[in-house]
Amino acid sequence: MKILMVCLGNICRSPLAHGILAHQAAEAGLNWEIDSAGTGDWHIGQAPDKRSIAVAQKYGVDISEQRAQWFEHHLFAAYDHILVMDKNNYRDVIAQAKTEDDRQKVQLFLTEGEVPDPYFDSNLFDPVYQLIEQRCKELIKKLS
Ligand code: 4NP
């Protein structure tokens, strides 16, 4: 199973989703390939936001080695599922799809609603972590 997590900057939400799902998959003995990308290009090559690194560390997940990449069309072919954090990400990723196969890979990460962007509100990192962790548990059950 190959899953790509996508948000805007690829430094707050999608690195958490990437790190948490990879951690849970490894614990479950699943040989899944997880990565993340951002629809914006501002942070390419950068490590995750310090606040995302810190909250993940608090719960025993190390995301400090991740580096941001830009979402580009070639990534459609490399993944089975492309899970986006909010509706703007959905619009931006779908805009790059060229085939029905590309489009069918793209879904919102949550079954209901969006993952709030914590970039401008440091208090959101902990609840965002919890939200993502819970959904990752469901994804492990659903896709394994
Ligand atoms: P993310 O959060 O999409 O969860 O990585 C953001 C990070 C950076 C910016 C916006 C959102 N930014 O505007 O630089």
Side-chain angles (χ1 to χ4, degrees), residues 87-100:
K87 289 175 185 168
N88 287 333
N89 308 149
Y90 185 86
R91 178 199 63 201
D92 293 340
V93 169
I94 283 288
Q96 293 196 53
K98 291 184 180 163
T99 65
E100 193 51 35

Side-chain angles (χ1 to χ4, degrees), residues 4 6 82-86 89-90 93 106-110:
L4 183 70
V6 175
I82 297 173
L83 303 180
V84 300
M85 299 296 127
D86 66 35
N89 308 149
Y90 185 86
V93 169
V106 189
Q107 286 175 300
L108 281 166
F109 173 76
L110 296 178

Side-chain angles (χ1 to χ4, degrees), residues 5-124:
M5 303 295 190
V6 175
C7 64
L8 177 59
N10 193 206
I11 56 168
C12 295
R13 292 166 292 175
S14 59
L16 285 173
H18 167 186
I20 294 167
L21 189 62
H23 181 82
Q24 291 182 4
E27 278 194 332
L30 299 165
N31 189 24
W32 287 7
E33 192 179 306
I34 321 288
D35 205 345
S36 60
T39 58
D41 62 357
W42 315 286
H43 301 284
I44 293 172
Q46 293 179 11
D49 187 287
K50 287 188 168 59
R51 297 165 295 176
S52 280
I53 293 176
V55 73
Q57 191 64 46
K58 176 178 156 188
Y59 293 105
V61 177
D62 181 9
I63 64 167
S64 64
E65 299 299 317
Q66 293 184 24
R67 294 296 177 266
Q69 65 171 335
W70 198 19
F71 182 83
E72 294 181 289
H73 177 264
H74 70 88
L75 292 172
F76 279 106
Y79 293 92
D80 304 307
H81 298 281
I82 297 173
L83 303 180
V84 300
M85 299 296 127
D86 66 35
K87 289 175 185 168
N88 287 333
N89 308 149
Y90 185 86
R91 178 199 63 201
D92 293 340
V93 169
I94 283 288
Q96 293 196 53
K98 291 184 180 163
T99 65
E100 193 51 35
D101 190 44
D102 289 348
R103 273 185 283 278
Q104 281 181 358
K105 292 181 178 181
V106 189
Q107 286 175 300
L108 281 166
F109 173 76
L110 296 178
T111 50
E112 273 181 48
E114 305 172 289
V115 180
D117 190 347
Y119 187 63
F120 294 107
D121 183 353
S122 296
N123 292 324
L124 285 179

